Amino acid sequence: MSQPAPPRVIAIDGPAGAGKSSVSAALAARLGFTRLDTGALYRAIGLAALRAGVRAEEGEALRALLADLRVELDGAEVLLDGVAEGDALRRPEVSAAASDFARLPSVRAKLLDLQRAIGAAQACVVDGRDIGTVVFPDAPLKIYLTASARARAERRLLELAAKGMAQPLDEVQREIEARDAQDASRPIAPLRRAEDAVLVDATALGLEEVVARCCGLARGVFGG
Ligand code: DC
């Protein structure tokens, strides 16, 4: 019997603020691939839990929340119970909640099938923490995008400021380092570079240089 074809997926993993979102969006547009921002799925659950006052631990309240919650994609936009939440998903307290809830097996299980179904149906650029290690271990191209903690904090500061969410740089850096430590140390699907992922360090590179490098890698694998 023949093996199923590997998904037409580019897996982009890495720590917070490395530029995965901007790079993935630009790369998907250039290649004509769909973009799947898996962080937004975890953020949607974090936001719903904050609103419902549910705590980040396995239990009846979380079970009920997850059973009722609809998380879907409309193009590249994540819908929470049919509503596009936009910038509400980017708030710092939602980032922290996303990381807290992402530790829980029931939360990861709810999102795993959704991610795999999307990746099986079309060519995709998928960014997250465990895409190359757990969600699509057979992805033909895996990239681990990183940068120094300072460079990542500076990038995140600009993103937040553009959305009217100003914060001191040191505080932004502390928050992303705390989130990375939690994401990398959890027992299930921790943030980790897959052995066969290409390392791209964006500390000294501009967005266009990173996108060009990733695009070159993609053309090497998918042609075009
Ligand atoms: O990529 P992001 O910053 O939007 O992700 C928010 C949080 O969601 C991140 O701190 C950890 C979690 N996450 C995850 O555990 N696995 C993924 N594939 C994507 C995100």
Side-chain angles (χ1 to χ4, degrees), residues 38-39 42-43 98-99 102 108 128-131 179 183 186:
T38 66
Y42 289 93
R43 286 170 182 273
S99 178
R108 302 205 76 83
R129 303 293 186 288
D130 63 335
I131 308 307
R179 195 145 63 88
D183 293 342
R186 67 182 174 223

Side-chain angles (χ1 to χ4, degrees), residues 66-156:
L66 293 179
D68 286 348
L69 196 67
R70 270 191 305 127
V71 180
E72 302 157 298
L73 271 191
D74 178 18
E77 183 113 60
V78 173
L79 304 184
L80 179 57
D81 287 330
V83 177
E85 295 288 349
D87 286 350
L89 293 177
R90 316 307 310 175
R91 290 203 308 261
E93 67 272 24
V94 176
S95 306
S99 178
D100 291 343
F101 282 88
R103 291 182 294 121
L104 306 176
S106 61
V107 170
R108 302 205 76 83
K110 180 170 174 91
L111 296 179
L112 188 59
D113 290 349
L114 174 65
Q115 296 170 75
R116 286 192 174 149
I118 294 167
Q122 63 231 296
C124 280
V125 180
V126 187
D127 70 284
R129 303 293 186 288
D130 63 335
I131 308 307
T133 52
V134 173
V135 183
F136 295 111
D138 298 330
L141 175 59
K142 301 178 186 177
I143 295 170
Y144 191 84
L145 181 62
T146 189
S148 72
R150 198 60 170 181
R152 293 186 287 113
E154 283 166 356
R155 173 198 305 282
R156 187 45 57 90

